[in-house]
C-alpha cells in the first residue's frame, strides 16, 4: 500500500538524512523513548486515517495495520542504536513531523482506493 511506493522510499531517505538528530541523547521530554514516541504517534495518525475513512473495509484496515507494522520494523532497523534512548525536544518535533508525513502517504493511497 505505502511501503512499496516511491514516497515511502523518499521518507525513509529523509529519516536517514536526519539520523544525526538521534545520535545525541539529551534530557528526556516526557520519559518516552524514541521508539515509543514513534509508535504512539504513528498509532494516533492511523486512528485518524481510519476515522476519516469509515468506508474502508475490514480487509483494507488490516492492510493498513500490516503496513504500519512494516514501517515500525523499518524504523527499528534504522534507529537500532538510539531507539531506546529518551526522546528529547528536537527529536520529538522531528518524530511528530515524520509521522504526519506517513499519514499523508496513507491519505494519498486511500484516496486512490476509494475513487
Amino acid at each position: 500500500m505505502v511501503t512499496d511506493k516511491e514516497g515511502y522510499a523518499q521518507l525513509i531517505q529523509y529519516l536517514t538524512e536526519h539520523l544525526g538528530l538521534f545520535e545525541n541523547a539529551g534530557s528526556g521530554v516526557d520519559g518516552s523513548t524514541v521508539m515509543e514516541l514513534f509508535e504512539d504517534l504513528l498509532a494516533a495518525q492511523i486512528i485518524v486515517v481510519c476515522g476519516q475513512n469509515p468506508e474502508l473495509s475490514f480487509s483494507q484496515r488490516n492492510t493498513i495495520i500490516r503496513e504500519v507494522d512494516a514501517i515500525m520494523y523499518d524504523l527499528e532497523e534504522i534507529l537500532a542504536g538510539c531507539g531506546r534512548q529518551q526522546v528529547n525536544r528536537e527529536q520529538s518535533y522531528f518524530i511528530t513531523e515524520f509521522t504526519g508525513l506517513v499519514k499523508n502517504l496513507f491519505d494519498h493511497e486511500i484516496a486512490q482506493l476509494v475513487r
Side-chain angles (χ1 to χ4, degrees):
M1 175 177 256
V2 298
T3 56
D4 61 346
K5 301 294 192 260
E6 180 64 26
Y8 181 72
Q10 291 173 353
L11 193 55
I12 292 300
Q13 181 179 349
Y14 177 67
L15 173 61
T16 58
E17 290 170 357
H18 289 86
L19 280 179
L21 185 67
F22 294 94
E23 290 175 356
N24 299 322
S27 58
V29 174
D30 65 0
S32 295
T33 66
V34 168
M35 288 310 300
E36 287 171 344
L37 187 58
F38 265 112
E39 186 175 337
D40 290 348
L41 293 181
L42 265 177
Q45 293 289 9
I46 296 310
I47 288 169
V48 171
V49 165
C50 290
Q52 291 173 333
N53 298 284
E55 69 279 4
L56 292 173
S57 69
F58 180 76
S59 176
Q60 290 167 325
R61 289 174 191 266
N62 279 340
T63 299
I64 291 169
I65 291 169
R66 283 192 302 276
E67 288 281 304
V68 171
D69 286 343
I71 292 168
M72 284 304 300
Y73 178 80
D74 289 346
L75 293 173
E76 288 170 354
E77 290 291 311
I78 294 166
L79 299 168
C82 58
R84 292 187 180 164
Q85 73 185 23
Q86 290 216 347
V87 68
N88 64 36
R89 187 169 315 283
E90 191 175 26
Q91 293 164 344
S92 178
Y93 292 144
F94 179 86
I95 294 168
T96 300
E97 175 189 19
F98 185 89
T99 57
L101 293 170
V102 171
K103 179 190 180 295
N104 289 347
L105 291 176
F106 279 102
D107 288 339
H108 176 74
E109 290 303 314
I110 290 168
Q112 301 298 318
L113 275 176
V114 297
R115 276 200 223 176

